[in-house]
Amino acid sequence: MKAVLFVDDHEVLARLSCEILEMQGYKAVSAFSAADALEKFRREKFDIIVTDMRMEGMDGLELARKVHATSPKTPVIIVTGYGPVEGGNDVKACLAKEELFPSLLEKIKLYLDESSKEEEEALETTRQS
């Protein structure tokens, strides 16, 4: 089962989003700040991170950069109510909060399928060696 870390300082949104993700077959864990998310990311393995852009202390882009410092292949999706964010290589997609579902589910499926294919190709290359 693929694991999603959903980060948002609006606890109700984070909890509801996790419920929706779990109904779609994902393991979903919520964090209510970037610092909380980094702590959970250090303790558990997550296949993808979905994070709010604007949060107290550390924004979603900074969180994405810190995650990629230790896990460069982990996809990060930014969710914002303030317009598009340019995150370079640290951000796979930026979605508007008003249109979160089903767009988020489509992006998660896309990026998790991509990472699964990369893992399979790496295993196949290792077996052929």
Side-chain angles (χ1 to χ4, degrees), residues 41 45-47 49 64-76 90:
F41 189 77
K45 182 190 180 311
F46 292 97
D47 298 292
I49 296 174
R65 289 183 180 127
K66 288 185 183 243
V67 164
H68 286 154
T70 59
S71 181
K73 293 196 181 242
T74 301
V76 177
D90 291 310

Side-chain angles (χ1 to χ4, degrees), residues 6-23 28-32 36 40 101:
F6 194 97
V7 188
D8 199 305
D9 53 356
H10 293 95
E11 292 185 27
V12 173
L13 176 63
R15 290 179 201 274
L16 287 173
S17 297
C18 284
E19 285 181 28
I20 292 169
L21 291 167
E22 288 174 350
M23 286 189 290
V29 174
S30 58
F32 307 124
D36 184 29
K40 288 179 179 179
F101 290 98

Side-chain angles (χ1 to χ4, degrees), residues 49-122:
I49 296 174
V50 179
T51 181
D52 188 15
M53 179 59 194
R54 290 194 180 180
M55 296 178 287
E56 285 272 329
M58 182 189 323
D59 68 22
L61 192 52
E62 188 178 347
L63 172 61
R65 289 183 180 127
K66 288 185 183 243
V67 164
H68 286 154
T70 59
S71 181
K73 293 196 181 242
T74 301
V76 177
I77 297 172
I78 298 268
V79 177
T80 182
Y82 299 98
V85 172
E86 179 50 51
N89 292 333
D90 291 310
V91 176
K92 281 283 196 180
C94 180
L95 301 175
K97 273 191 178 179
E98 305 83 53
E99 302 167 2
L100 192 55
F101 290 98
S103 299
L104 179 60
L105 295 172
E106 292 167 5
K107 293 292 185 191
I108 288 173
K109 185 174 181 348
L110 173 72
Y111 299 132
L112 291 181
D113 284 350
E114 280 179 10
S115 63
S116 292
K117 287 177 187 170
E118 287 176 6
E119 289 171 14
E120 288 172 15
E121 289 170 1

